[in-house]
Amino acid sequence: MGRGCFSYPRSLPLITCLSVLSSRQRKSLLLMKYLSFAEKPVNKPVQKLMSSETPTESPEVPMENTVSPEVPGVEEKVKSSGSPVERQEAGSNKEECLELLSKRQRKKLLKQKQWEEQKDLRRQKRKEKRQKRKQERQSKLDSNNEGNDRKRVRREVIPSTLRLIVDCSFDDLMVLKDVKKLHKQIQRCYAENRKAFHPVQFYLTSHGGQLKSNMNESNKGWVNWKDIQIRTEHYTELIKKEDLVYLTSDSPDVLSELDEKKAYVIGGLVDHNHHKGITYKKAVEQGIGHAQLPLGNFVKMKSRKVLAVNHVFEIILAYLEKRDWKEAFFSVLPQRKGAVPLEEASNSSKHTLSGKEDEDNDSENN
């Protein structure tokens, strides 16, 4: 008889022979028996009842005395049993099988049962997913076609004669981190000007130093930029002084309209307010015009009215398109600035003042 195999007389009941088997063999046999009681077709052959080592077949042992992996005698006996006594015995055997199985094996049986019961539901879900993906592809194609139609009817670009200059002469006042931020702001200005309905005549003056080195390292494609003049000269060498207007928040003059014959200068400086009023002083020293955007006439801000280079640039582009300062400001200003319309801010302040007066009156009456 081969190693790991076992045999028992056919006359003895199966449960009596379980004591001869090892723990793993008993669990495997009881698992097969439970599956036969549940009347499930077993597609895969059940594991052989043997020890961890692979047994060697022995020609001396007759096949009738060995238990086959599928245990056909037990299955036929259970299926053919129809009397109440036999069914009761089968139920008790089934309970014994479940008690001897481990918790993991019981979970495995339950999962297998649920998986087989939900086959139709899974098939229906797969069908619904295929239909949903098909509809999404179709809707995406339709939206792409609509986008192409919109591109065809897009308004023609009308370039503006207004000149907008970013003054890059503050290179020595910035650390490398701030120079990189200025570079990103200039990139944003260039991109917004390229897609604007009324693009301006864009200038970069006094270009060099750290800014040029950083642009060469991180974005060598700037040399191929279109519709922009990148010059090493100062803006006073390129444009007449009477046409220049320096945009600075420290100027007492407020800009009401944009004169497209003028050239407006934006200070290319990222200094976190370390050099307050430097652009205004520079404009006064050079004897050129200066002004500030009419931000205070339309907007109430929690922070200072100093804006980034790209924000000033985008506001001017928005005004050229909308011809309305209020719309231009609120279409560009970021939420972190806490900008609110001036009318709403004044109304809220009136409410707070009236509330304080009421509280004071109540306290006096008491």
Side-chain angles (χ1 to χ4, degrees):
M1 184 168 59
R3 183 181 178 184
C5 298
F6 65 94
S7 64
Y8 63 91
R10 290 283 183 176
S11 58
L12 293 176
L14 182 62
I15 301 299
T16 307
C17 300
L18 289 176
S19 58
V20 184
L21 305 177
S22 64
S23 176
R24 180 178 296 180
Q25 290 172 337
R26 284 200 301 273
K27 288 182 179 180
S28 300
L29 183 59
L30 291 171
L31 179 61
M32 289 189 297
K33 191 173 180 182
Y34 175 77
L35 291 174
S36 66
F37 282 126
E39 295 184 0
K40 296 179 182 179
V42 181
N43 297 327
K44 296 182 180 180
V46 185
Q47 222 176 5
K48 290 188 177 182
L49 303 177
M50 55 183 68
S51 63
S52 58
E53 297 182 2
T54 306
T56 57
E57 296 183 358
S58 175
E60 298 176 0
V61 180
M63 294 298 294
E64 60 182 6
N65 291 334
T66 58
V67 179
S68 63
E70 298 178 356
V71 196
V74 176
E75 291 181 0
E76 291 173 4
K77 184 176 180 180
V78 172
K79 290 181 181 179
S80 61
S81 61
S83 63
V85 177
E86 291 177 348
R87 284 197 298 270
Q88 186 176 1
E89 291 179 357
S92 62
N93 290 339
K94 182 177 177 181
E95 291 176 359
E96 291 176 2
C97 292
L98 287 174
E99 289 176 0
L100 290 174
L101 292 177
S102 66
K103 186 176 179 181
R104 181 179 294 179
Q105 289 172 327
R106 288 197 297 270
K107 284 184 178 180
K108 190 175 180 180
L109 285 173
L110 182 60
K111 286 182 180 179
Q112 184 179 358
K113 184 180 178 182
Q114 291 175 348
W115 186 84
E116 290 177 356
E117 289 175 352
Q118 295 176 357
K119 276 185 179 179
D120 295 335
L121 181 61
R122 289 197 301 274
R123 190 181 296 111
Q124 182 65 24
K125 285 185 178 180
R126 287 195 297 269
K127 187 177 179 180
E128 290 175 357
K129 283 184 180 179
R130 286 195 297 269
Q131 292 176 352
K132 187 178 179 180
R133 285 196 296 267
K134 187 177 179 181
Q135 291 175 358
E136 288 176 354
R137 286 195 298 268
Q138 187 64 35
S139 62
K140 192 175 181 180
L141 289 173
D142 295 340
S143 62
N144 288 337
N145 292 333
E146 290 177 2
N148 294 332
D149 295 338
R150 290 194 201 99
K151 289 179 182 178
R152 293 191 194 99
V153 298
R154 183 180 175 181
R155 289 183 293 171
E156 294 182 1
V157 174
I158 303 174
S160 173
T161 57
L162 185 142
R163 289 161 291 179
L164 205 50
I165 302 166
V166 176
D167 178 19
C168 303
S169 61
F170 303 99
D171 192 81
D172 57 334
L173 299 179
M174 294 184 288
V175 295
L176 182 59
K177 181 176 70 173
D178 294 333
V179 171
K180 290 180 179 180
K181 290 180 180 179
L182 176 62
H183 177 207
K184 289 182 180 179
Q185 293 177 8
I186 292 171
Q187 285 180 313
R188 182 67 181 268
C189 294
Y190 174 74
E192 292 296 324
N193 194 50
R194 288 282 292 171
K195 63 183 182 183
F197 288 122
H198 301 291
V200 297
Q201 311 300 313
F202 189 14
Y203 287 78
L204 277 184
T205 60
S206 303
H207 184 253
Q210 296 183 90
L211 179 61
K212 186 177 181 180
S213 301
N214 183 69
M215 291 174 72
N216 286 330
E217 291 175 4
S218 59
N219 181 22
K220 294 181 180 179
W222 68 269
V223 295
N224 299 321
W225 283 0
K226 300 177 181 179
D227 302 324
I228 183 173
Q229 294 195 39
I230 302 177
R231 309 291 290 270
T232 57
E233 297 92 339
H234 196 266
Y235 52 84
T236 54
E237 300 175 18
L238 302 173
I239 299 169
K240 297 177 182 179
K241 283 189 176 183
E242 54 266 23
D243 293 338
L244 291 168
V245 178
Y246 214 114
L247 296 176
T248 168
S249 61
D250 299 304
S251 173
D253 302 330
V254 179
L255 200 64
S256 57
E257 292 288 337
L258 288 176
D259 187 355
E260 296 195 25
K261 295 179 182 179
K262 296 286 186 180
Y264 295 92
V265 184
I266 304 171
L269 177 63
V270 179
D271 66 335
H272 309 285
N273 297 328
H274 293 311
H275 304 280
K276 296 180 181 179
I278 188 171
T279 53
Y280 173 64
K281 292 176 184 176
K282 186 175 183 180
V284 172
E285 290 172 359
Q286 293 175 353
I288 62 176
H290 49 79
Q292 62 170 300
L293 296 177
L295 194 64
N297 297 340
F298 302 95
V299 181
K300 179 69 176 177
M301 297 176 63
K302 294 180 181 179
S303 59
R304 293 182 71 234
K305 294 187 291 183
V306 179
L307 302 177
V309 173
N310 60 297
H311 291 156
V312 178
F313 197 99
E314 291 174 39
I315 287 170
I316 291 175
L317 290 177
Y319 177 79
L320 291 174
E321 180 184 348
K322 304 174 187 298
R323 294 293 172 179
D324 186 284
W325 282 115
K326 186 177 180 180
E327 289 186 23
F329 287 135
F330 284 101
S331 64
V332 174
L333 289 176
Q335 293 182 352
R336 67 175 183 273
K337 290 287 185 180
V340 294
L342 195 62
E343 301 85 6
E344 294 182 10
S346 59
N347 292 334
S348 62
S349 61
K350 287 179 182 179
H351 288 310
T352 53
L353 288 173
S354 62
K356 288 181 179 178
E357 289 177 358
D358 294 338
E359 290 177 1
D360 293 339
N361 293 331
D362 293 340
S363 61
E364 288 175 0
N365 293 332
N366 293 332

